[in-house]
Amino acid sequence: MIDDTSSPASTLRPDEFSHTPISGEHWDVIVIGGGAAGLSAALILARARRRVLVLDAQEPRNRFAPHMHGVLSRDGYSPLDLVADGHREVRAVDGVIVDARVASAHAIADGFEIVTAAGDHATARRLIVATGARDVLPDIPGLAEQWGRGVVACPYCDGYEASGRAIGVLATSVGGLHKAHMLRAYSDDITVFTGLVDGIPDEDRLVLEARGMRVETRAVTQVITAAGELTGLGLDDGSTIPVDVVFAEPALIALDEPLRQLGAERSDTPMGPWTTVDALGRTSVEGVWAVGNAANPAALVPIAAGSGAAAALALNGELVAQDVAAAAALVASAAVAS
C-alpha cells in the first residue's frame, strides 16, 4: 500500500499562519486540525468571543485534488483555497491559527494540555479534534502520482466529471464493487478490475456484466500515462486497457492519535475502528469533541464543515452554562457570608 504522500495541488502560504507564541497560554478551546471541520468550529467559537487556538499541520485529506465538488457555492473550488479563506475568516474574528503538529494531548485539572512537535505547550478548557484521515493506495506503480487527478475515490466528488468517459474501477474488496454500480449512472464504458480481490462471487460478476460493465480479473501492474495524463492501466500479461479515469478503493486510516492518547472510545465501522461520537460530536471523554473525518470516515467537505459547526454550538453552550454556574456559586457564597 502507498500512503498519500504525493505533492499536493497547492500549499498554504507561510504568511497565512500566526506566529503568536502559544506556550503558557490558556484558551477556551483548542482545535487540532485546520481543515473544513476544524475551521468551521473555530469560526463559530471565535465569533462567540471565545479564545480559540487552531493547531494546523497543513495536511487536509483533499489537498491533492485541484477542485472540490458537491460543495454548495464552491463547486469546482480549490480545497486549499477554501482552507485559506477559512484562515482569513477565523483570524478576522480574533481566532489564532498556528502551523503546528500536535505530539501529545492529555487531561489536566482544568481541561487539557497540548504539546506540539516543536515543544510548545498550551492548555484549554475544551478540545476539538479535527485531524481527519489519510488514504492508503494499493501499491501499483504510477498510482500515487495520479492521486487526486486521474485517480480518484469518490463518485459523489468526481463522478459527474467522468460522465461519458472510459472509467476504470480498481476494486480491492467485494464490497467495493458497489462503487462500480454507483458509477454506472455516469458512463456506459466501465471496466472493473478485480485482480486485487481474492475472488468475487459469480453472482456479483454476472450482475456487473448484466449492467453493461466489463470485469477484468488480470492483475493491474502499472498506471500508463502520456504527457502526465492517465491513459490506461497495464496488466500482468503486458497488455494495456485504455481508461480516462480510475476510481480506486484506498484504505482509510484515522489520524486519531490525540483521541487515542486521551482514551476516547472507538467503534467498529466498515472502514475499521473509529472514534465513537454522539450526534453533536461529543466523544466518551468529557470535554473532548471529534469532528470531520476524525469522527465520520464518510464525511464529505460539507458534512465535515457541518459537524464542526454543530460541535461548536454544543461546546459553547456548555461553556456558557459553566460560566453561569460559576457566577451563581459566587452569588450563593456571598449570600451565605452576609
Side-chain angles (χ1 to χ4, degrees), residues 191-245:
T191 304
V192 184
F193 296 85
T194 63
L196 293 172
V197 183
D198 187 18
I200 66 170
D202 286 341
E203 182 178 356
D204 289 282
R205 176 181 57 79
L206 291 171
V207 170
L208 287 166
E209 292 174 345
R211 297 198 67 209
M213 292 179 273
R214 297 177 294 276
V215 177
E216 176 54 69
T217 60
R218 289 172 291 181
V220 175
T221 57
Q222 63 177 318
V223 171
I224 308 299
T225 62
E229 299 292 325
L230 184 146
T231 60
L233 294 178
L235 306 180
D236 59 0
D237 63 357
S239 61
T240 297
I241 294 185
V243 292
D244 298 318
V245 60

Side-chain angles (χ1 to χ4, degrees), residues 9-330:
S10 59
T11 58
L12 294 173
R13 298 189 303 272
D15 62 357
E16 291 174 338
F17 291 90
S18 169
H19 300 289
T20 303
I22 63 172
S23 281
E25 290 287 314
H26 188 65
W27 306 81
D28 287 321
V29 184
I30 292 177
V31 179
I32 306 176
L39 290 173
S40 179
L43 180 61
I44 287 180
L45 289 164
R47 288 181 58 84
R49 306 308 298 166
R50 296 297 176 184
R51 296 193 70 239
V52 179
L53 170 66
V54 179
L55 301 176
D56 185 5
Q58 301 188 62
E59 292 181 351
R61 181 185 171 199
N62 59 0
R63 64 193 182 277
F64 303 99
H67 307 104
M68 304 179 300
H69 295 290
V71 183
L72 189 64
S73 84
R74 290 295 184 271
D75 195 77
Y77 204 62
S78 160
L80 291 183
D81 285 347
L82 179 73
V83 170
D85 290 346
H87 281 206
R88 288 188 288 273
E89 292 170 356
V90 170
R91 292 198 313 274
V93 290
D94 301 323
V96 175
I97 304 174
V98 173
D99 178 10
R101 184 178 301 278
V102 170
S104 67
H106 63 274
I108 56 177
D110 57 350
F112 304 92
E113 182 179 45
I114 300 300
V115 181
T116 72
D120 293 319
H121 294 245
T123 60
R125 297 166 67 185
R126 297 291 189 274
L127 190 64
I128 294 179
V129 179
T131 43
R134 63 182 171 88
D135 296 284
V136 182
L137 298 168
D139 189 5
I140 297 173
L143 200 67
E145 288 76 10
Q146 286 290 319
W147 181 235
R149 299 181 293 121
V151 177
V152 294
C154 173
Y156 291 110
C157 304
D158 297 292
Y160 186 85
E161 283 63 39
S163 295
R165 305 180 73 195
I167 298 174
V169 179
L170 188 61
T172 60
S173 69
V174 173
L177 299 177
H178 177 66
K179 186 173 293 187
H181 289 295
M182 294 174 65
L183 289 164
R184 185 62 182 84
Y186 301 104
S187 176
D188 58 6
D189 186 357
I190 296 179
T191 304
V192 184
F193 296 85
T194 63
L196 293 172
V197 183
D198 187 18
I200 66 170
D202 286 341
E203 182 178 356
D204 289 282
R205 176 181 57 79
L206 291 171
V207 170
L208 287 166
E209 292 174 345
R211 297 198 67 209
M213 292 179 273
R214 297 177 294 276
V215 177
E216 176 54 69
T217 60
R218 289 172 291 181
V220 175
T221 57
Q222 63 177 318
V223 171
I224 308 299
T225 62
E229 299 292 325
L230 184 146
T231 60
L233 294 178
L235 306 180
D236 59 0
D237 63 357
S239 61
T240 297
I241 294 185
V243 292
D244 298 318
V245 60
V246 171
F247 283 79
E249 187 187 353
L252 192 61
I253 308 298
L255 298 176
D256 59 359
E257 186 61 24
L259 292 163
R260 296 171 78 171
Q261 291 171 348
L262 291 161
E265 292 180 0
R266 306 170 88 198
S267 302
D268 289 331
T269 76
M271 299 290 187
W274 227 265
T275 298
T276 305
V277 297
D278 70 8
L280 297 175
R282 293 184 184 90
T283 72
S284 61
V285 180
E286 186 175 355
V288 178
W289 274 255
V291 298
N293 283 147
N296 177 3
L300 305 180
V301 170
I303 298 172
S307 72
L313 295 172
L315 190 158
N316 189 61
E318 284 194 4
L319 291 181
V320 170
Q322 187 180 68
D323 295 341
V324 170
L330 287 174

